[in-house]
Amino acid sequence: NDGVLSSNSFNLIQTGWSAILVEPNPELLNVAKKMTQPLVDVYRDGNQRICYVQAAMSGGTAASKMKLKIGTDIVSMESSLVRGAPSQGDKKREAHLARLRGGGGGGSTRQRPRTIEVDVLPAQDVATRCNGIPRRFGVLSVDAEGVGDLVLHDFLDNGYRPEFIIYEPMHNSEPWEVTLQYLEGLKYKWLQKRGWNHILEYLE
């Protein structure tokens, strides 16, 4: 997202953490840069870094391209990858967003969403773009509408072990109970739920 609104990274960056921010929407990524770059502590001798990656993630094993539908307002900032014909769940989500925007009325001059082509990267390629990611790092925050489970598996199946995971299961195809069982098998302990996010800790 924009690095501030509903961002799990903003407070960590504020307190001195390094971060990798992955966002396919170029407009939101620019906002994230403007909001987070001033937070980098210049007195840490370059030890705090933020890597910005303009791309989507979908849990694939190889880099690809995909269409991204970009909304027209802050409510629809959760841009969505276009995967052919919309599913029933996609249609329900679009109807819900339309209600939030107060849309549906005739005669509206609101700009229609637009579609752009973006890179879709696996975790290993994100790591390469950011000069590597340690196998053990602090926090993995996953909020990828509809593909969050695949992105989570991509990182963990490739051997990455964040100390904490912040995971939003909304709209993902894998049921949360199945994801939790998978995480527990990797020695993660569920701690609590905050809002839509589940928080887990690595115990090894």
Side-chain angles (χ1 to χ4, degrees):
N1 57 31
D2 63 6
V4 180
L5 184 63
S6 301
S7 172
N8 293 318
S9 306
F10 184 78
N11 290 332
L12 295 174
I13 293 170
Q14 256 190 327
T15 55
W17 287 57
S18 294
I20 295 174
L21 302 182
V22 182
E23 168 57 53
N25 184 330
E27 297 167 10
L28 287 180
L29 190 63
N30 285 335
V31 174
K33 288 179 181 179
K34 291 177 182 177
M35 298 302 294
T36 57
Q37 282 179 337
L39 302 177
V40 174
D41 189 348
V42 297
Y43 299 106
R44 296 195 61 193
D45 299 322
N47 291 324
Q48 184 184 8
R49 298 186 305 116
I50 305 177
C51 178
Y52 304 93
V53 180
Q54 200 239 303
M57 299 185 71
S58 66
T61 58
S64 61
K65 299 279 189 180
M66 194 169 284
K67 300 295 184 182
L68 180 79
K69 184 169 65 176
I70 298 179
T72 58
D73 53 44
I74 197 65
V75 173
S76 57
M77 71 175 187
E78 294 173 338
S79 308
S80 55
L81 292 174
V82 178
R83 296 172 171 272
S87 66
Q88 193 63 32
D90 293 332
K91 292 177 181 177
K92 288 182 179 179
R93 180 172 179 274
E94 287 301 316
H96 178 62
L97 286 173
R99 287 194 298 272
L100 288 174
R101 299 183 199 110
S108 173
T109 58
R110 182 182 297 278
Q111 181 182 358
R112 295 178 63 83
R114 61 191 177 91
T115 301
I116 64 172
E117 187 174 72
V118 297
D119 291 331
V120 182
L121 302 179
Q124 299 282 37
D125 285 22
V126 171
T128 299
R129 288 200 182 186
C130 295
N131 299 317
I133 301 174
R135 293 292 169 176
R136 295 284 293 266
F137 59 93
V139 178
L140 174 64
S141 177
V142 180
D143 179 3
E145 293 285 317
V147 294
D149 51 338
L150 301 177
V151 173
L152 179 67
H153 279 267
D154 187 14
F155 276 98
L156 299 181
D157 290 348
N158 278 288
Y160 294 103
R161 292 295 182 269
E163 301 298 331
F164 293 91
I165 292 174
I166 304 173
Y167 175 70
E168 181 182 312
M170 186 182 298
H171 304 305
N172 297 333
S173 59
E174 183 176 83
W176 162 241
E177 294 75 17
V178 176
T179 304
L180 178 59
Q181 186 177 29
Y182 164 74
L183 291 169
E184 288 175 339
L186 296 177
K187 300 183 179 180
Y188 280 91
K189 178 184 178 182
W190 183 89
L191 298 179
Q192 60 179 297
K193 184 179 181 183
R194 288 287 186 93
W196 298 110
N197 294 310
H198 293 273
I199 302 173
L200 303 98
E201 180 182 10
Y202 189 48
L203 296 181
E204 185 171 283

